[in-house]
């Protein structure tokens, strides 16, 4: 590279040299996908939360020759820190050329891959479990090992059961009856580690070991100094002397990107950072923080501290203290604690293993976690646990180290303070050197707890750690109680902090543990005021902390303390049932692999070979990462990349778009906006502007696209576009009102979409129905009026984000690769936007990585936007939304606010139901009207409701568009009518299951089908016997329209026909609800389970269980779709 230091590593054994025009800040996932032939790592979330991008990274110790391997999220790993690493993607484990790995075969054979976008990450994670078990000498991992090892991976469509079944089959001890059915081709090879030999070319290029223990870093020919600066990364000139630290950072950059430095000692680190402003500097190890804090800025100087010997250690001293270096990963620390003989350390390890997921813990470091907790108030479990354990932090203030010979000869002042003091300190350049975790003697107790949305892979909503010693007389001493919470009364809101709680510590100290002092400690939580002053307050290094806990946080902290201490008090309360019940509290346990059985009919004699559980098409390619998705499409070196320029206002006029800063970004090509839509084209899709023109209607709305030669450059350019907003128009006359953001705002402003399908018609029939409903409400023995029920939104979170690649073709035609559920819809959208005939647009979609309705309409804007850019620039344009933009632009299922009135008799039989509902549709209607329409049509479900009246509105809010999502409308319908019936049952104090059954529609009396076992009902039967005319089971043209219905053969009785409450007709022989209702209760032993739930709830004050059985009717009416066929002479 012409004297420039190149970053070299291996991908699946192949040498990779990073080109000079690629920033070392680029993440590994992007680099692999754009600069190698491998596409296995998928980018789902881009923040280390889904695991789709997982790869294995190996390093070889140059002195010992030992190779260490770990799985990481490649979307978070900057390539600047991968010099000398061997990366293995899912293709490297196995593929269609060299043969599939047993794990890949099992995932295929056990149907553990549906859309397949997450499958490569799951395969890598499962291989990591096998590898860790082999390294630990355990042999074959257990099912629970697999369940824990997959904690950093998400699946949105397959479901975890077949994934776990595939993993169970690899344990060698699973009962086949506990596993799902597998395909005949499923392999039977035992799980093994796919050991790819560490590449020789990396061994030869590894620097020899350097003893830097006495290095000052000041001599120009020092070999350790060369090691520090010979791999500076992105086009930094390699020399035998350190770069001029006093030179402005801009003179040390190339193409505006970062200088990377790799010191090998703390002295060299100080040289590397001397003269660099704190705002221009980043100390980097695992880089997992960039997944938590989105859009992390690109600092001019990045210092990779993982190679500093003084930060890289983990051992136990002769006194029993665990000494932990700052670059020790969370996985390494947990392994060390698990391998000890200390009960307290075992509990610490269990808590640490709940932080994030395996891939994150394999990269995240102890020092980085503490640093983020101090500077960015990270919801840190580690800080709380270490604080409760009485650990101390060793740190170095790089800003006060001195200047002698660029700081190289200055003795470094490493200080040691408590965790709480470290978190309270000020300073921009505090470097964690290490942590000391004191031993727990046999008389000590340590417990910790965490409240979060999930057991794994979820930030804490609150956490705590408690330690104390028990004297020979039973008295408690050395009590430490640390709590991490947010500072707002509402859960999960405000600023996070971890702190000691002296009031609780005092309540527990000096006495034996008892119910009385536990109650005193619980009371102390509510009135805490523990202003903490550090030992160096005179130096201004610590701040006071208000420890008051408010709102729901009080109950959370009380619950966590109770769960920690209650098990130790059980013996004291034997015989006191009420107190024992209150003390029956325990911490959440890991979910484990679970167990279940499946049964299915013996189809083998019925319809061979249709019955065979064959593998789905190309499933092995999905498991090996070779299956191609839209974002994998390669279209040559002329390809451009697009990034969204979003609105930062919810309702405003755009007065200016300034591109000056964007034009300075290296690689920037163009800005595409409203004016670039071709003349004759239509820049609106479902009423939504493709590009906002003079006005924006919701936060995140697409104003335009920044087009550049790389994805990173496009995103940097998009962030650099400056948009000026105003509440007044260009003439300064019309002023916009405040944005409408809630359903209450919409009602006050009368802000609704005009949806013909939901419009209340002023007809005599409607007036008659309203009168009948009101009369029934008045006449019924029981009536509930004005009940309120809300249904929240639900994000699609398909694993593959919205993606489109537009390629200009000959004769003004264009090819668009789109991740879509409707090729026709994309073709129409692109053609209408460009103003061309439909046949001039070719749309291609090989497979979709999840959709759930989110790619029925919301995929059209990305496809049309990419097409506009490609048509103007005459070059291929790739537009793949990152997860943040995807979530901003696509709001998911419509939130629904319901008010209802219901009339019923003493047995719970419904007489009338009236529903008034408002659905949030966002700023544009999109397909939200379908949610309302299908809710209205499905409101009765399979229940007999003599009088039903439904009124719905679509609220127009200044929010992103809501659209259809799996089971649109019908899901809300089920929830609403089930809420009504549960409310009726609760009102009467009767069994809800019986109330539901009493309200089923019922079959005709003359129906002879045994499957239609009648259920009690005294209602008029909504069915009739006659010609089966108009049977469509849903929407669309009915059989009787335009032609006489075809009756039964002469001499035969006409088939029995039934109707749902909304008038849909169907053959009575298809009415399976009574049979299934009875069968499910019997096979699932519903009544037995129901009693067990009741007994459990009576015996447990804090943990509750629930069980219900719910009938669901869903009108499945697939739309008509275009198709074609070809007949080839060669077969």
């Amino acid at each position: 590279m012409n004297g420039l230091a190149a970053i070299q590593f291996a991908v699946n054994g192949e040498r990779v040299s990073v080109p000079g025009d690629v920033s070392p800040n680029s993440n590994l996932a992007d680099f692999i996908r754009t600069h190698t032939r491998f596409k296995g790592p998928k980018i789902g979330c881009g923040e280390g939360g889904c695991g789709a991008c997982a790869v294995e990274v190996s390093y070889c110790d140059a002195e010992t020759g030992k190779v260490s391997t770990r799985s990481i999220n490649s979307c978070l790993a900057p390539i600047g820190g991968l010099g000398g690493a061997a990366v293995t993607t899912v293709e490297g484990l196995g593929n269609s050329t060299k043969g599939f790995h047993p794990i890949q075969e099992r995932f295929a054979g056990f149907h553990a891959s549906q859309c397949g976008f997450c499958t490569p990450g799951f395969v890598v994670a499962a291989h990591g479990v096998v590898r860790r078990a082999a390294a630990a000498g355990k042999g074959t991992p257990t099912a629970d090992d697999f369940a824990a090892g997959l904690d950093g991976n998400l699946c949105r469509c397959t479901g975890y059961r077949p994934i776990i079944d595939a993993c169970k089959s690899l344990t060698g001890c699973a009962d086949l009856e506990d596993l799902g059915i597998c395909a005949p081709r499923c392999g039977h090879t035992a799980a093994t580690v796919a050991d790819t030999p560490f590449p020789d070319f990396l061994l030869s290029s590894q620097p020899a070991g350097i003893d830097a223990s006495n290095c000052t870093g000041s001599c120009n020919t020092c070999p350790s100094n060369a090691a520090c600066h010979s791999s500076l990364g992105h086009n930094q000139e390699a020399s035998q002397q350190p770069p001029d630290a006093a030179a402005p950072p801009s003179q040390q950059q190339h193409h505006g990107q970062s200088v990377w430095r790799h010191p090998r000692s703390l002295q060299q680190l100080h040289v590397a950072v001397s003269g660099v402003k704190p705002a221009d500097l980043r100390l980097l190890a695992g880089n997992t923080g960039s997944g938590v804090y989105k859009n992390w800025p690109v600092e001019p100087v990045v210092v990779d501290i993982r190679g500093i010997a003084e930060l890289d250690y983990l051992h136990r001293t002769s006194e029993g203290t665990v000494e932990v270096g700052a670059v020790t990963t969370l996985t390494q620390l947990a392994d060390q604690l698990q391998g000890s003989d200390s009960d307290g350390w075992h509990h610490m390890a269990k808590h640490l293993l709940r932080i994030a997921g395996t891939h994150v813990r394999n990269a995240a470091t102890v020092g980085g976690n503490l640093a983020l907790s101090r500077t960015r108030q990270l919801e840190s479990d580690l800080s709380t646990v270490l604080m409760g354990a009485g650990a101390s932090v060793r740190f170095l203030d790089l800003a006060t180290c001195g200047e002698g010979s660029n700081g190289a000869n200055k003795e470094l002042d490493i200080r040691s303070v408590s965790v709480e003091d470290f978190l309270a300190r000020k300073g921009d350049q505090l470097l964690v050197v290490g942590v000391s975790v004191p031993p727990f003697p046999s008389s000590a107790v340590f417990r910790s707890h965490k409240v979060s949305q999930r057991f794994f892979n979820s930030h804490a909503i609150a956490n705590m750690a408690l330690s104390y010693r028990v004297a020979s007389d039973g008295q408690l001493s050395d009590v430490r109680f640390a709590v991490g919470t947010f500072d707002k009364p509402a859960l999960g809101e405000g600023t996070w902090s971890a702190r000691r709680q002296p009031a609780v510590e005092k309540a527990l100290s000096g006495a034996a543990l008892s119910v009385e002092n536990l109650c005193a400690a619980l009371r102390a939580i509510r009135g805490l005021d523990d202003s903490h002053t550090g030992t160096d307050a005179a130096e201004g290094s610590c701040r006071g902390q208000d420890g008051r806990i408010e709102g729901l946080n009080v109950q959370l902290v009380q619950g966590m303390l109770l769960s920690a201490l209650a098990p130790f008090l059980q013996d004291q309360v034997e015989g006191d049932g009420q107190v024992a019940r209150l003390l029956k509290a325990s911490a959440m346990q890991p979910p484990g692999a679970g167990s279940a059985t499946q049964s299915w009919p013996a189809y083998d004699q019925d319809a061979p070979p249709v019955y065979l559980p064959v593998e789905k098409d190309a499933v092995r390619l999905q498991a090996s990462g070779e299956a191609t998705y839209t974002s994998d499409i390669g279209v040559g070196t002329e390809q451009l990349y697009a990034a969204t320029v979003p609105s930062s206002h919810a309702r405003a006029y755009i007065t200016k778009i300034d591109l000056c800063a964007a034009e300075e970004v290296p690689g920037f090509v163009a800005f595409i906006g409203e004016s670039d839509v071709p003349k004759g084209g239509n820049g609106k899709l479902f009423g939504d502007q493709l590009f906002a023109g003079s006005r924006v209607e919701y936060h995140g709305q697409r104003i335009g696209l920044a087009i550049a030669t790389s994805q990173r450059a496009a995103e940097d350019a998009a962030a650099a576009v400056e948009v000026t907003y105003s509440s007044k128009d260009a003439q300064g006359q019309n002023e916009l009102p405040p944005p409408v953001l809630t359903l209450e705002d919409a009602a006050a402003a009368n802000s609704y979409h005009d949806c013909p399908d939901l419009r209340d018609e002023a007809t005599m029939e409607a007036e008659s129905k309203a009168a009948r409903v009101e009369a029934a409400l008045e006449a019924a023995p029981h009536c509930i009026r004005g009940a309120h029920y809300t249904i929240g939104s639900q994000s699609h979170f398909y694993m593959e984000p919205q993606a489109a690649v537009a390629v200009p073709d000959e004769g003004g035609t264009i090819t668009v690769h789109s991740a879509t559920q409707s090729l026709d819809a994309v073709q129409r959208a692109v053609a209408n936007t460009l103003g061309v005939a439909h046949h001039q647009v070719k749309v291609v979609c090989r497979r979709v990585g999840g959709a759930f309705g989110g790619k029925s309409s919301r995929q059209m804007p990305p496809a049309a936007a990419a097409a506009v850019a490609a048509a103007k620039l005459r070059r291929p344009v790739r537009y793949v939304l990152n997860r943040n933009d995807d979530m901003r632009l696509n709001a998911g299922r419509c939130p629904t606010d319901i008010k209802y009135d219901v009339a019923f008799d003493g047995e719970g039989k419904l007489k009338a139901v009236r529903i008034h509902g408002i659905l949030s549709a966002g700023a544009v209607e999109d397909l939200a009207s379908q949610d309302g329409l299908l809710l209205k049509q499905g409101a009765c479900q399979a229940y007999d409701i003599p009088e039903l009246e439904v009124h719905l509105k679509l609220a127009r809010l200044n929010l992103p568009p809501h659209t259809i999502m799996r089971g649109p409308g019908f899901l809300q319908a089920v929830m609403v009518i089930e809420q009504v019936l549960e409310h009726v049952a609760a009102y009467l104090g009767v069994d809800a299951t019986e109330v539901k059954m009493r309200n089923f529609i019922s079959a005709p009396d003359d129906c002879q089908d045994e499957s239609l076992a009648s259920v009690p009902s005294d209602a008029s039967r909504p069915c009739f016997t006659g010609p089966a005319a108009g049977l469509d089971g849903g929407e669309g043209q009915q059989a009787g329209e335009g032609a006489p219905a075809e009756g039964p053969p002469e001499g035969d009785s006409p088939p029995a026909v039934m109707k749902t409450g909304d008038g849909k007709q169907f053959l009575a022989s298809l009415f399976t609800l009574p049979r299934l209702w009875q069968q499910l209760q019997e096979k699932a032993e519903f009544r037995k389970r129901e009693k067990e739930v009741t007994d459990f709830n009576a015996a447990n004050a804090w943990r509750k269980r629930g069980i219900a059985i719910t009938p669901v009717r869903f009108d499945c009416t697939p739309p008509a779709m275009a198709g074609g066929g070809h007949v080839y002479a060669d077969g």
Side-chain angles (χ1 to χ4, degrees), residues 7 63 65 150 207 223 237 247 351 364 516-517 521 527 540 670 765 830 835 875 931 1112:
I7 304 169
E63 294 181 350
L150 303 182
E237 291 192 20
H351 195 135
E516 288 73 19
N517 61 6
E765 181 182 354
V830 172
R875 291 175 65 179
D931 250 18
V1112 176

Side-chain angles (χ1 to χ4, degrees), residues 33 39 628-637 639 805 807 817 876 878:
R33 294 170 55 79
K39 300 294 187 292
T628 301
Y629 295 82
T630 298
S631 57
D632 299 329
I633 301 297
V635 288
T637 58
Q639 176 177 254
V805 180
V807 185
H817 299 267
R878 178 187 299 269

Side-chain angles (χ1 to χ4, degrees), residues 1066-1086:
F1066 61 95
L1067 292 173
S1069 60
L1070 300 179
F1071 183 50
T1072 58
L1073 176 58
R1075 172 173 57 83
L1076 293 177
W1077 185 263
Q1078 186 74 19
Q1079 180 180 316
L1080 180 60
Q1081 290 191 68
E1082 292 174 357
K1083 287 198 171 184
E1085 299 181 308
F1086 176 77

Side-chain angles (χ1 to χ4, degrees), residues 61-298:
D61 188 297
E63 294 181 350
T64 66
K66 181 179 179 180
V67 176
S68 60
T69 304
R70 55 182 176 167
S71 63
I72 64 169
N73 292 296
S74 60
C75 70
L76 297 181
I79 58 175
L82 290 171
V87 177
T88 303
T89 72
V90 67
E91 298 103 320
L93 300 180
N95 54 64
S96 57
T97 301
K98 75 174 187 179
F100 297 104
H101 189 274
I103 294 176
Q104 295 166 334
E105 292 180 339
R106 299 303 174 86
F107 268 70
F110 279 89
H111 317 290
S113 179
Q114 188 171 330
C115 84
F117 201 80
C118 68
T119 308
F122 271 101
V123 169
V124 171
H127 185 261
V129 174
V130 176
R131 176 178 42 76
R132 280 175 59 87
K138 290 179 57 176
T140 304
T142 66
D144 286 341
D145 289 338
F146 277 111
L150 303 182
D151 61 354
N153 292 74
L154 295 180
C155 174
R156 289 284 290 146
C157 59
T158 305
Y160 289 90
R161 174 163 182 165
I163 294 173
I164 292 296
D165 281 345
C167 293
K168 284 181 177 179
S169 74
L170 295 163
T171 64
C173 58
D175 187 338
L176 293 180
E177 292 184 356
D178 292 338
L179 303 180
I181 188 169
C182 64
R185 292 180 61 206
C186 182
H188 298 283
T189 308
T192 57
V193 180
D195 282 325
T196 302
F198 199 83
D200 291 338
F201 62 84
L202 290 180
L203 291 172
S204 61
S205 65
Q206 295 243 341
I210 297 171
D211 182 6
S213 57
N214 297 315
C215 173
T216 64
S218 60
C219 55
N220 291 339
T221 59
C222 174
S224 63
N225 206 25
C228 175
H229 299 291
S230 64
S231 57
L232 290 174
H234 187 43
N235 284 356
Q236 174 67 38
E237 291 192 20
S239 65
Q240 294 299 324
Q241 61 182 19
D244 183 2
S250 61
Q251 296 181 18
Q252 300 181 6
Q253 299 177 55
H254 180 76
H255 293 321
Q257 298 294 340
S258 301
V259 172
W260 273 62
R261 298 175 177 170
H262 302 266
R264 301 298 182 190
S265 68
L266 287 177
Q267 290 286 1
Q268 291 181 4
L269 170 65
H270 190 259
V271 175
V273 303
S274 294
V276 181
K277 297 178 181 179
D280 294 336
L281 174 67
R282 183 176 181 199
L283 303 179
L284 181 142
N287 196 46
T288 54
S290 62
V292 179
Y293 304 101
K294 315 298 189 296
N295 302 318
W296 195 296
V298 178

